[in-house]
Amino acid sequence: MSQSKKESFIPYYQHMSNEQLFDMANEQLQWLDADAIDSYYSTVESRGLSLICNMTHMESNGGGCKPAQLSKHNMQFLLQSIEQKRPIPELTSELRSRGIDAWCGYKILKALPEFLEEKIVLEKEKALNGSMLFFSGLAFRLLPLSSSKHLALIILVYSITAFGAIKWLDAFFRFRRYRKMIQFLSSSFHQSDSFAFPIGEDDAVV
């Protein structure tokens, strides 16, 4: 890489916050070429930062780029886009247009499988509760109840049974939906393996 191209990295890293520089050391630095790494360390040294002392701290606070912090509207867009199997670079570009810088968008996408795994656990619990309601309703319906004397109770049992079935089916389909998303994300990150780290001041947080 030419000296001029090497120097073009420096303004970008200078626009990054200390937190983003620490995050790069934890997750992204290994994918940069030698000239970009030199420019990165020039910025780190000029700020007097100690990566060894601070990496664990920065890793623990997460830098604030988490799926749970997305707005409902952005999360809905993200999940629908993943279901449509849109490429990762396209997703980060769209997130940028929604006010989320590319580095933060990348971290959100990387954390999304774990976030979805947590949602799957919740859906399993909902499915279990729904199935218990469904089978309890069926078992109760087997009792010799007179439709003339126990009409209200019979209606209640049918309602509980139907509610349990709907709850179980909803949780089951959500479970499958989230599992497919995780598989797509895992496959996408495996294929690209090295995310094209954004270059340019438009991607930086000033």
Side-chain angles (χ1 to χ4, degrees):
M1 183 181 292
S2 65
Q3 183 66 22
S4 60
K5 190 171 184 180
K6 175 180 176 180
E7 291 175 351
S8 68
F9 287 99
I10 296 178
Y12 172 67
Y13 297 134
Q14 288 176 344
H15 279 85
M16 294 179 73
S17 66
N18 290 351
E19 288 79 9
Q20 288 176 311
L21 291 173
F22 284 125
D23 282 342
M24 280 193 66
N26 281 318
E27 300 179 15
Q28 193 62 32
L29 199 59
Q30 59 181 315
W31 304 119
L32 302 181
D33 60 35
D35 291 318
I37 290 175
D38 286 344
S39 299
Y40 169 83
Y41 276 109
S42 295
T43 303
V44 169
E45 291 173 3
S46 69
R47 298 188 190 184
L49 302 177
S50 176
L51 296 178
I52 296 177
C53 296
N54 289 281
M55 278 173 66
T56 302
H57 170 71
M58 289 310 307
E59 192 174 52
S60 65
N61 75 25
C65 299
K66 300 178 181 179
Q69 295 173 331
L70 281 178
S71 67
K72 184 177 180 180
H73 178 69
N74 283 336
M75 177 57 73
Q76 184 179 15
F77 153 75
L78 199 55
L79 296 182
Q80 288 178 346
S81 297
I82 293 172
E83 280 189 300
Q84 296 168 3
K85 299 184 176 181
R86 295 177 63 179
I88 298 297
E90 188 176 318
L91 290 179
T92 55
S93 177
E94 180 63 30
L95 288 174
R96 281 181 58 199
S97 70
R98 292 167 177 259
I100 301 172
D101 70 88
W103 174 242
C104 191
Y106 168 71
K107 284 183 64 65
I108 288 172
L109 288 170
K110 288 290 284 185
L112 202 55
E114 183 178 352
F115 175 79
L116 293 175
E117 287 287 1
E118 293 174 358
K119 293 184 98 39
I120 284 176
V121 171
L122 294 177
E123 294 305 326
K124 286 181 177 180
E125 293 178 359
K126 291 180 183 178
L128 178 60
N129 293 335
S131 63
M132 290 176 63
L133 288 174
F134 176 74
F135 288 111
S136 295
L138 287 181
F140 200 90
R141 188 64 188 90
L142 294 177
L143 296 176
L145 298 175
S146 171
S147 59
S148 59
K149 295 181 180 180
H150 305 96
L151 180 60
L153 181 58
I154 291 173
I155 293 175
L156 177 62
V157 170
Y158 274 126
S159 299
I160 291 174
T161 304
F163 175 75
I166 293 172
K167 189 173 184 179
W168 179 84
L169 286 172
D170 180 67
F172 175 74
F173 285 117
R174 286 178 183 272
F175 171 88
R176 291 188 59 188
R177 180 189 180 200
Y178 295 146
R179 181 59 64 195
K180 288 181 179 179
M181 290 181 189
I182 292 173
Q183 291 173 349
F184 169 72
L185 287 170
S186 299
S187 174
S188 297
F189 281 116
H190 177 72
Q191 290 174 6
S192 60
D193 206 31
S194 58
F195 176 76
F197 192 78
I199 297 299
E201 294 183 9
D202 289 341
D203 292 318
V205 177
V206 181

